[in-house]
Amino acid sequence: MPRSARVWIATDPDHTARVVILARIALGSQGIRVGPADLPAPSSAERRKLLRDALRLTLWRATGSTGAWLAPEVAARKRVDCGV
C-alpha cells in the first residue's frame, strides 16, 4: 500500500484557515493530506473569504467555471488591471 503524501501549509496567520481549506478541496481527492503548520482562529472577515473561496473552488471543480459571469464588472476590472 503506497504512503499518502502530506503537505503542511505555512503562511500568514490571516490566510492559514482559508489556504488549508482550499488545499484540502483541491488536493484531498488526490489522496494528499493537507494540514496547517499552525492554525489560528480566523477573523470574521477571513471566515467570509474562506466560505467564498471554498465555494468558488468547488464550483470550478464541478463545472470548470469560476463563476466570473456572476460578477462581470469585477471580471472586467481584473482583466483591465492585468492588461488583458
Side-chain angles (χ1 to χ4, degrees), residues 1-75:
M1 172 182 257
R3 290 182 56 189
S4 64
R6 290 184 180 184
V7 174
W8 296 104
I9 303 294
T11 187
D12 182 271
D14 289 341
H15 303 290
T16 301
R18 197 166 46 145
V19 173
V20 168
I21 292 296
L22 297 177
R24 284 179 179 166
I25 291 170
L27 302 174
S29 64
Q30 304 300 314
I32 300 172
R33 295 175 56 193
V34 177
D38 183 27
L39 184 59
S43 66
S44 61
E46 193 61 24
R47 281 192 292 273
R48 284 191 298 277
K49 290 177 186 177
L50 191 155
L51 178 60
R52 177 201 66 200
D53 290 349
L55 289 172
R56 184 184 299 149
L57 180 57
T58 302
L59 174 67
W60 174 75
R61 288 190 70 204
T63 67
S65 171
T66 62
W69 55 271
L70 294 170
E73 66 284 348
V74 174

